[in-house]
Structures are given as C-alpha cells and as structure tokens.
C-alpha cells in the first residue's frame, strides 16, 4: 500500500510540473519495474476496466491519481470526525469489545486513527468510566474494566489513580440523572485513593461484584470532592458558556450544579461561594423556559447552603443578579427571598440600599420590607446627606459591576434631591468635605470600566457634584 501511495504521489507531481505525455514517459522511466506492462501500472477491478481502453494508459493513471487524492481527503475528514467525537464513539465500542473475542470495530477505529489502542484507552478513560457508571450494572462494569486492564497491561487501580480530576468532572455531569450510581462511584474512588483494595488486586479478574459495591456516605463523598470542587465548578462553567456544548449537555451541567450544591453542603459551598455565584450568573444567560426552571432550583439550593456570614456578604449582589430570574419566575423564587429578606433580622441593615423587585403579587411583602428600610432623603441637612452618602460607599467600591451600577444610581438620586447640602459640603470651607473627596476619587476610578451605561451615570454624578478645584480636595493622593 505504501509503495502504491508513493507511486501515485510521484505521478501527481509529474503531472503538476509537466502536464504532457513526456511527463508520463519520464515517470515510467523512473519506475522501470512497471515498464513491462503499462496496462498494469494502476490495477483496476475487473468490473471497472471496460471504462478505459487498454491504450489509454495515461488517462487511466490520471484517474487513479484523482481517486487516491479523493480518498486522502475523505480519510482526513473521517479521522477528524472520529477524533472530535471520540468521547461519544469510544465508550460503547469498548463495551462491545469487552463482550467479543475479536473487537473488530474498535480495531478498525484504531487503524483509521493510526495510533495505538493502549493510548486511546488511557487518554479517554474518563469518558469510558462515566459511560459504564451511567449505563451498566456493577458486574458489567467490572467486565469492561477488566478488558481495559488486560488490553493495556496495567492494573486497573493504577489507571484509575491517574487524571482523577477528569474522571470526577465527567461523573458529575450525571449527578442528577444517575445520582445513586455516581455517589457510589465517588465512594469507590475515595477508597482507591486511600489505597483500600476495593476495585481489585493486581489481577482484576479475581474481583467479584460483592467487593465491587461500596456504600456511599454523602458526607464522605463531600469531603472527597472538596479539594477538587474548584476544578468541578470550572468544568461545569465551561459547559454552560461553550457554544459547542449541546443543549442536553448544558441541561445536565446546570442540574448537576444544583445537585452538587446539595451534596457539598454549607461548609464546603460557603468557602467557594464566589465561584458558585459566578457559575449561577453564567446560567442566567441561557434564555430558555427549561433553563429558567432549573436555574430556580440551583439558586434556591445555593441560598439555603450558605452560612449566615457568607450570605450577608453576598446578599446585595445576589439580589441584583437574581432580579431577571425573579421577573420570569416570581412564584418559584419568592419563598426563599421571603425567608431571607423578611424573616432574617440580621439582613435588615442591608435593605436600605437594595432595589425593589417588579410588581407581582408574590413579591408584595418583600417590596414592602425593602421600602420600609430604604432612605429617601430629600432636602436634608449636611449631616444627613453625609450619612446617606457614606452608606453608599460599600456599593460603590463593590467588585461586581452590577452592584456598582445600582449604587451609582442611588448616588445620583441622592445628589439630585439634596443639592443645597451638597453645595455646602463643597464650598463652605477652603477644603471640601472628606466624603466629597472620596466620592470624586471613586467616580474617576469608574471611568476605567468599559460599560457605557456606567459611564453615563458617572458623568451625571460628577455633574451634580459640580466643578471643584483639585487643590481644594481633602487629599489629592486619593485621586489617580
């Protein structure tokens, strides 16, 4: 085959350089072994020979070259397709191969890719493992693992100790649809990590289904997943934002995120609350009725699995981020918001800077509580205005742009309704009031952001503060 391929390539080069009969004659001279019978330079099947006269050797050779080029292009696309879909194609082929004496299809795929079966099985073990955990009972799982161990000649427990994060990531995708099987597999992986011989000895064939089964304790599974939690969240986040991820897979990723929060509990989720919040914010970009429903479950699980101190630190940001979901699913979100904003006394000081939700019967009580604690200052004296502006500093310095935008909007309203006091704070002495200096520093810092809406609000706030000589600021070093 390689010699034929080399001959074809030489022929193609000859035709590209000198597309004439002399080119073909030169090619024949370079291949003296073929000169004895020119009709056999490119053997054709008997059924095809009648298409070409025996004397048309040049045409026959040219057609063979074209056929070879076409085959190469098709083969290249086939290899590319198999490589890109390996995670879907390989697992069922491995399961089938474990039941056959000669795994023909698997060998054909390996031959097409021009690689070793050993390398393919090792590189894609996480996809095979997740597939058999989701779809096969314990005894059949053992048969597949035994086949893999025999094929690559490595004990299965050693294979499973490699690329553990990848194995965990793929298994998490089935946490909602195959909860018990996945939790059991995590418990088994924990035992392997602790070097308990659960999967088997050096000879995996000696294992039985009885010692393959492991009882899953949720708390132990949470402790096992905790060091890998950031990696899992990054994997799920990538699934949610990637345009190449299929709808069904995004659905599984969001459900898995919701169930993962329940499994991990308050202790583990609170420590990575910012990362979980970022993933939930990403899920809000999925504009679909089903994703809205799944998102409600995920947000409720998240809010119920934060310790109080973490919840208070994130509450203002959460309320602003969740507002679009509350608008489309008020009945689903209202109960958990009522538990937090209405029933928790510790959140009352934070309500004065929170936005109101849209008008809906399910949100009436929540909006009433927020309105009762909001400060609507109009025509206030200097000290009242200073206190009102000071309460906005936390939101103005927040790392989340949505929170800063809300705080800037509140600042604009406060400045607009208290112009006399603002004028006193900026002109009554040689040095403007420290709160005004700090506000100028914060507003100028916001100009680095790229959001146009934020720039507009910043410009309005600077206009309401008025023109101030920089030399009169309380501290010039605070303005960069």
């Amino acid at each position: 085959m390689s010699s034929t391929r080399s001959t074809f390539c030489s022929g193609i080069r000859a035709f590209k350089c000198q597309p004439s009969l002399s080119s073909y004659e030169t090619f024949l001279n370079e291949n003296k072994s073929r000169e004895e019978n020119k009709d056999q330079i490119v053997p054709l099947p008997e059924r095809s020979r009648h298409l070409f006269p025996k004397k048309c050797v040049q045409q026959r050779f040219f057609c063979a070259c074209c056929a070879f080029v076409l085959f190469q292009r098709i083969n290249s696309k086939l290899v590319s397709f198999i490589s890109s879909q390996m995670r879907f194609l390989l697992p069922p082929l491995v399961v089938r191969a474990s039941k056959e004496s000669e795994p023909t299809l698997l060998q054909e795929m390996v031959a097409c890719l021009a690689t070793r079966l050993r390398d393919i099985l090792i590189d894609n073990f996480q996809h095979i493992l997740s597939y058999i955990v989701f779809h096969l009972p314990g005894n059949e799982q053992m048969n597949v693992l035994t086949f893999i161990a025999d094929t690559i000649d490595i004990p299965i427990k050693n294979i499973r100790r490699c690329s553990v994060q990848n194995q965990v990531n793929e298994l998490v995708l089935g946490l909602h649809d195959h909860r018990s099987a996945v939790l059991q597999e995590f418990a088994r992986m924990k035992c392997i990590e602790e070097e308990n011989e659960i999967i088997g000895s050096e000879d995996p064939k000696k294992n039985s289904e009885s010692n393959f089964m492991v009882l899953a304790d949720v708390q132990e599974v949470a402790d096992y997943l905790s060091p890998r939690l950031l990696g899992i969240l990054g994997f799920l986040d990538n699934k949610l934002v990637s345009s190449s991820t299929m709808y069904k897979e995004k659905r599984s990723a969001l459900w898995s995120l919701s169930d993962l929060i329940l499994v991990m509990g308050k202790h583990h989720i609170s420590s990575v609350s910012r990362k979980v919040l970022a993933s939930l914010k990403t899920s809000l970009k999925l504009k679909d009725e089903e994703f809205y429903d799944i998102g409600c479950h995920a947000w409720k699980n998240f809010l119920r699995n934060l310790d109080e101190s973490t919840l208070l630190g994130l509450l203002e940001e959460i309320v602003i981020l969740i507002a679009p979901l509350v608008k489309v699913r008020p009945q689903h979100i209202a109960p958990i918001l009522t538990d937090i904003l209405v029933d928790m006394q510790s959140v009352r000081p934070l309500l004065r800077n929170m936005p109101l939700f849209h008008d809906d019967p399910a949100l009436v009580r929540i909006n009433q509580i927020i309105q009762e604690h909001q400060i609507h200052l109009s025509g206030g004296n200097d000290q009242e205005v200073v206190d009102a502006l000071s309460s906005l500093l936390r939101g103005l310095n927040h790392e989340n742009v949505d929170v800063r935008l809300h705080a800037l909007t509140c600042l604009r309203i406060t400045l607009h309704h208290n112009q006399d006091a603002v004028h006193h704070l900026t002109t009554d002495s040689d040095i403007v009031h420290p709160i005004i200096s700090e506000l100028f520093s914060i507003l100028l810092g916001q100009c680095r952001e790229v959001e146009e809406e934020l720039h507009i609000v910043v410009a309005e706030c600077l206009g309401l503060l008025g023109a101030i000589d920089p030399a009169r600021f309380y501290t010039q070093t605070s303005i960069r």
Side-chain angles (χ1 to χ4, degrees):
M1 179 65 183
S2 60
S3 60
T4 305
R5 182 176 301 179
S6 175
T7 302
F8 286 165
C9 293
S10 301
I12 292 172
R13 287 195 296 270
F15 277 112
K16 285 183 178 179
C17 298
Q18 298 176 349
S20 61
L21 185 59
S22 60
S23 300
Y24 182 65
E25 292 173 349
T26 301
F27 171 73
L28 292 179
N29 292 331
E30 293 175 354
N31 298 272
K32 295 182 180 181
S33 61
R34 301 282 189 173
E35 285 187 354
E36 295 180 359
N37 189 353
K38 296 180 181 180
D39 288 351
Q40 299 298 322
I41 289 178
V42 184
L44 296 174
E46 292 295 335
R47 67 180 68 177
S48 304
R49 292 196 177 187
H50 69 280
L51 298 176
F52 305 99
K54 291 185 177 180
K55 295 183 179 179
C56 299
V57 180
Q58 182 177 0
Q59 289 90 331
R60 287 176 60 190
F61 178 75
F62 179 75
C63 290
C65 291
C66 292
F68 176 74
V69 172
L70 179 61
F71 168 77
Q72 288 291 84
R73 291 181 178 178
I74 294 175
N75 188 59
S76 176
K77 291 183 178 180
L78 180 61
V79 171
S80 177
F81 170 77
I82 294 176
S83 299
S84 63
Q85 303 299 317
M86 181 67 74
R87 61 191 300 258
F88 303 108
L89 297 173
L90 182 62
L93 289 179
V94 173
V95 173
R96 176 171 175 172
S98 66
K99 301 176 182 179
E100 298 176 342
S101 57
E102 294 184 5
T104 308
L105 286 177
L106 189 59
Q107 292 172 351
E108 288 290 339
M109 186 180 73
V110 172
C112 182
L113 296 175
T115 186
R116 297 189 305 171
L117 179 57
R118 173 193 177 96
D119 296 337
I120 292 179
L121 293 177
I122 293 176
D123 294 341
N124 296 276
F125 180 76
Q126 65 270 20
H127 304 307
I128 301 171
L129 179 65
S130 61
Y131 180 87
I132 63 176
V133 169
F134 298 162
H135 300 100
L136 299 181
N139 59 335
E140 294 187 29
Q141 292 181 35
M142 277 306 305
N143 293 336
V144 176
L145 295 177
T146 300
F147 168 78
I148 294 174
D150 291 343
T151 302
I152 64 179
D153 196 24
I154 297 177
I156 196 64
K157 65 176 184 180
N158 293 346
I159 303 172
R160 300 200 57 172
R161 286 172 180 163
C162 300
S163 303
V164 175
Q165 183 68 60
N166 292 336
Q167 297 174 40
V168 170
N169 291 346
E170 294 295 333
L171 288 169
V172 165
L173 281 178
L175 186 57
H176 179 73
D177 296 327
H178 312 278
R179 179 185 174 88
S180 60
V182 171
L183 291 179
Q184 181 179 319
E185 186 62 31
F186 284 146
R188 191 177 300 123
M189 295 174 72
K190 181 177 184 295
C191 292
I192 296 173
E193 187 177 72
E194 295 172 351
E195 297 190 352
N196 291 331
E197 303 295 329
I198 300 300
I199 288 298
S201 60
E202 295 297 318
D203 183 8
K205 293 181 179 180
K206 296 180 181 178
N207 295 282
S208 62
E209 185 176 353
S210 59
N211 61 14
F212 183 79
M213 304 295 290
V214 180
L215 295 178
D217 180 85
V218 176
Q219 185 57 50
E220 291 183 357
V221 169
D223 294 338
Y224 171 72
L225 295 179
S226 179
R228 303 171 177 86
L229 187 54
L230 286 176
I232 297 172
L233 293 173
F235 174 77
L236 294 176
D237 193 60
N238 184 61
K239 289 291 182 183
L240 292 173
V241 302
S242 176
S243 58
S244 61
T245 305
M246 296 183 296
Y247 176 93
K248 183 179 179 180
E249 202 166 10
K250 287 188 177 183
R251 175 185 172 278
S252 297
L254 189 52
W255 267 124
S256 298
L257 176 60
S258 177
D259 287 15
L260 180 66
I261 294 171
L262 288 177
V263 171
M264 301 306 297
K266 287 186 178 183
H267 176 68
H268 297 295
I269 292 298
S270 296
S271 62
V272 293
S273 55
R274 284 268 171 211
K275 180 59 181 175
V276 179
L277 184 61
S279 297
L280 291 173
K281 181 182 178 181
T282 300
S283 70
L284 294 175
K285 299 177 182 179
L286 303 173
K287 308 297 183 181
D288 182 270
E289 294 298 320
E290 186 176 11
F291 283 114
Y292 291 148
D293 293 334
I294 303 173
C296 289
H297 287 282
W299 278 99
K300 287 188 289 186
N301 290 341
F302 176 61
L303 292 172
R304 289 194 177 102
N305 284 278
L306 292 176
D307 57 50
E308 186 171 338
S309 60
T310 304
L311 177 60
L312 294 178
L314 294 175
L315 188 57
E316 187 176 359
E317 182 177 356
I318 289 173
V319 169
I320 294 174
L321 291 178
I322 205 175
L325 185 60
V326 176
K327 188 173 183 179
V328 295
R329 291 292 188 274
Q331 298 290 341
H332 293 73
I333 300 296
I336 184 64
L337 291 180
T338 301
D339 293 342
I340 296 173
L341 301 179
V342 178
D343 299 337
M344 287 182 63
Q345 295 296 321
S346 56
V347 307
R348 296 297 173 88
L350 302 175
L351 296 179
R352 60 182 178 180
N353 293 324
M354 287 189 182
L356 295 173
F357 293 101
H358 73 287
D359 292 333
D360 187 275
L363 304 171
V364 171
R365 179 60 179 151
I366 298 172
N367 285 332
Q368 287 177 348
I369 293 295
I370 294 176
Q371 284 179 324
E372 290 174 4
H373 291 80
Q374 281 184 337
I375 299 175
H376 300 285
L377 185 62
S378 180
N381 59 42
D382 292 1
Q383 187 57 46
E384 290 175 336
V385 172
V386 169
D387 293 340
L389 295 178
S390 299
S391 68
L392 295 173
L393 292 178
R394 180 187 178 196
L396 293 172
N397 288 307
H398 202 278
E399 63 183 24
N400 184 273
V401 67
D402 298 306
V403 176
R404 293 203 303 273
L405 181 59
H406 171 68
L408 285 168
T409 303
C410 295
L411 175 62
R412 179 186 60 187
I413 296 173
T414 302
L415 295 175
H416 177 73
H417 291 291
N418 298 275
Q419 278 291 284
D420 291 342
V422 172
H423 182 70
H424 293 160
L425 294 173
T426 56
T427 60
D428 276 2
S429 63
D430 293 337
I431 299 177
V432 299
H433 195 279
I435 190 66
I436 301 298
S437 298
E438 188 169 359
L439 283 177
F440 257 95
S441 177
I442 293 173
L443 290 172
L444 292 178
Q446 300 300 321
C447 295
R448 301 188 186 98
E449 299 293 339
V450 298
E451 287 78 6
E452 183 178 357
E453 184 179 3
L454 188 143
H455 288 169
I456 294 173
V457 182
V458 167
E460 292 175 345
C461 292
L462 289 172
L464 290 169
L465 285 173
I468 302 176
D469 185 354
R472 299 180 56 245
F473 281 123
Y474 181 75
T475 170
Q476 298 185 39
T477 58
S478 63
I479 300 179
R480 300 174 182 176

